[in-house]
């Protein structure tokens, strides 16, 4: 099989020919159709992600495909089932073996591209806004990085949950994507003052932040009493330092969100969330925004789109026709 594999953190990954893996106990082997790219893939390439596998390894965190083989002890799945899996690695290959507990069956109405694009981005936003922040219909949600892979899903889900959604992104094109996802108000981070604009809108009750840096600081200063700030990631490269005494003044809560972390201590949070998302998709209430669909030969180009923030929504790699 072909796989997009990283051999060294000092050199870029490349497509190599290697043996297809065999499923171990409680594992499924998938013939992979599509793989969604994520900012975490870039961190893994540098060796700075909190769960970077040992070298060498195949990149690709979330996949969709057909069950090709079933390992011992697996129940509930059969050869030929269409499934999506958050594997954490191994997705940019023609075949991959994954823990069956991480797999969910794909509705007949869901195509391969949407299946690969939905899990991490929508899952992160749904768990963050519903499980962590307990977003309410009468609240104002400020989404930073609103045109990115997770940002657009936060706009869409926040609107579904009944909140007033303010989308913050850089440039008219990205703001237009956020508007199409349902944003009520738009802030151009490259030309407008986030704090001043939010003051006009009555302040933020919940902040969704995958960016960090100066935007976190501006959003923090625009919070209403008892606001909740969701720290999703730090795409700016700047991890903000929070002064604890500033939290006291308005009784603000800062909540960390690491979607994949729930697999180790409360997996039912993820499975319940994914079930809700699959239902919404079947009902036509959510539609993954995929800005780029590329073949595996252009995986490096897809990674560069993420690194330079030139994509909106998701970048999906097509591995093979199924």
């Amino acid at each position: 099989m072909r796989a997009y594999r990283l051999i060294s953190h000092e050199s870029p990954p490349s497509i190599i020919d290697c043996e297809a893996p065999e499923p171990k106990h409680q594992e499924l082997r998938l013939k992979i159709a599509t793989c969604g790219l994520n900012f975490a893939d870039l961190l893994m390439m540098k060796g700075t992600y909190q769960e970077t596998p040992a070298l060498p390894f195949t990149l690709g965190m979330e996949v969709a495909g057909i069950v090709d083989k079933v390992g011992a002890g697996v129940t509930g799945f059969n050869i030929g089932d269409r499934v999506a899996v958050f594997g954490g690695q191994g997705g940019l290959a023609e075949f991959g073996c994954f823990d069956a507990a991480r797999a969910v069956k794909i509705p007949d109405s869901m195509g391969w591209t949407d299946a690969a694009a939905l899990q991490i981005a929508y899952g992160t936003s749904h768990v963050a806004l519903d499980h962590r922040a307990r977003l309410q219909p009468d609240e104002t949600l400020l989404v930073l990085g609103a045109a990115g892979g997770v940002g657009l899903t936060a706009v869409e889900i926040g609107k579904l949950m009944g909140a007033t959604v303010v989308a913050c992104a850089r440039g008219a094109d990205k703001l237009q994507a956020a508007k199409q996802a349902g944003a009520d108000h738009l802030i151009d981070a490259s030309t407008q003052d986030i704090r001043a604009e939010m003051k006009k809108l009555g302040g933020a009750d919940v902040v969704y932040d995958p960016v960090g840096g100066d935007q976190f600081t501006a959003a923090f200063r625009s919070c209403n009493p008892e606001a909740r700030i969701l720290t999703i990631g730090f795409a700016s490269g700047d991890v903000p330092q929070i002064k604890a005494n500033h939290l006291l003044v308005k009784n603000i809560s800062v909540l960390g969100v690491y979607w994949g972390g729930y697999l180790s201590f409360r997996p039912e949070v993820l499975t319940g969330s994914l079930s809700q998302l699959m239902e919404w998709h079947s009902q036509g209430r959510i539609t993954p925004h995929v800005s780029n669909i590329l073949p595996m030969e252009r995986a490096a180009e897809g990674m560069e789109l993420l690194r330079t923030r030139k994509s909106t929504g998701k970048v999906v790699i097509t591995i093979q026709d199924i």
Side-chain angles (χ1 to χ4, degrees):
M1 71 171 191
R2 297 182 307 153
Y4 190 64
R5 187 158 292 183
L6 186 71
I7 306 298
S8 166
H9 294 302
E10 284 70 49
S11 57
S14 60
I15 296 175
I16 65 167
D17 291 315
C18 57
E19 292 292 324
E22 292 295 323
K24 299 176 183 177
H25 184 73
Q26 297 285 8
E27 284 187 343
L28 303 172
R29 188 172 83 173
L30 296 192
K31 184 177 183 180
I32 298 171
T34 51
C35 178
L37 300 188
N38 293 275
F39 190 77
D41 289 310
L42 299 178
L43 300 180
M44 284 189 188
M45 288 165 60
K46 296 190 295 183
T48 58
Y49 189 59
Q50 60 261 33
E51 292 187 4
T52 299
L55 294 168
F57 67 91
T58 299
L59 290 155
M61 302 180 73
E62 56 184 336
V63 303
I66 290 177
V67 177
D68 168 74
K69 274 191 175 183
V70 178
V74 172
T75 59
F77 294 95
N78 298 299
I79 292 173
D81 284 347
R82 301 172 72 246
V83 301
V85 181
F86 168 68
Q89 61 169 303
L92 287 169
E94 292 174 330
F95 293 89
C97 293
F98 307 98
D99 187 341
R102 296 185 174 208
V104 292
K105 292 182 181 179
I106 302 170
D108 292 340
S109 60
M110 182 178 288
W112 293 125
T113 299
D114 281 5
L118 182 140
Q119 293 177 86
I120 296 176
Y122 278 94
T124 295
S125 292
H126 185 249
V127 168
L129 296 174
D130 183 59
H131 179 70
R132 294 293 279 150
R134 308 292 182 187
L135 179 67
Q136 300 301 306
D138 60 345
E139 293 186 312
T140 296
L141 167 66
L142 169 61
V143 180
L144 304 179
V150 293
L152 274 177
T153 66
V155 171
E156 195 172 0
I157 290 174
K159 194 63 182 173
L160 257 179
M161 294 176 69
T164 297
V165 180
V166 184
C168 179
R170 293 183 181 276
D173 290 346
K174 291 189 174 184
L175 288 173
Q176 181 60 31
K179 183 177 181 180
Q180 290 176 350
D184 298 289
H185 304 282
L186 307 174
I187 298 175
D188 190 332
S190 60
T191 59
Q192 294 178 289
D193 183 297
I194 295 172
R195 183 190 182 193
E197 295 303 315
M198 286 305 301
K199 186 176 180 180
K200 296 175 188 176
L201 296 171
D205 299 304
V206 174
V207 175
Y208 183 98
D209 180 19
V211 179
D214 292 341
Q215 290 192 34
F216 173 94
T217 302
F220 185 97
R221 297 176 69 189
S222 72
C223 281
N224 292 327
E226 293 193 325
R228 289 87 74 204
I229 302 177
L230 296 157
T231 58
I232 310 299
F234 312 102
S236 68
D238 182 358
V239 179
Q241 302 303 301
I242 304 165
K243 293 184 178 180
N245 59 315
H246 289 186
L247 300 175
L248 304 180
V249 179
K250 293 183 180 178
N251 293 290
I252 293 172
S253 299
V254 179
L255 307 170
V257 182
Y258 172 37
W259 184 79
Y262 279 100
L263 285 167
S264 63
F265 63 93
R266 286 196 66 190
E268 70 276 7
V269 172
L270 298 194
T271 54
S273 173
L274 285 173
S275 294
Q276 176 67 76
L277 292 169
M278 293 289 183
E279 182 179 347
W280 279 346
H281 186 278
S282 296
Q283 296 169 349
R285 302 182 71 189
I286 59 173
T287 304
H289 179 90
V290 179
S291 62
N292 301 87
I293 303 173
L294 303 170
M296 188 161 69
E297 293 78 9
R298 296 171 63 187
E301 181 181 334
M303 295 292 187
E304 186 65 9
L305 287 169
L306 293 185
R307 190 187 68 79
T308 57
R309 303 186 202 178
K310 291 182 179 178
S311 60
T312 56
K314 291 290 290 188
V315 176
V316 172
I317 302 300
T318 299
I319 306 300
Q320 57 192 317
D321 292 330
I322 296 179

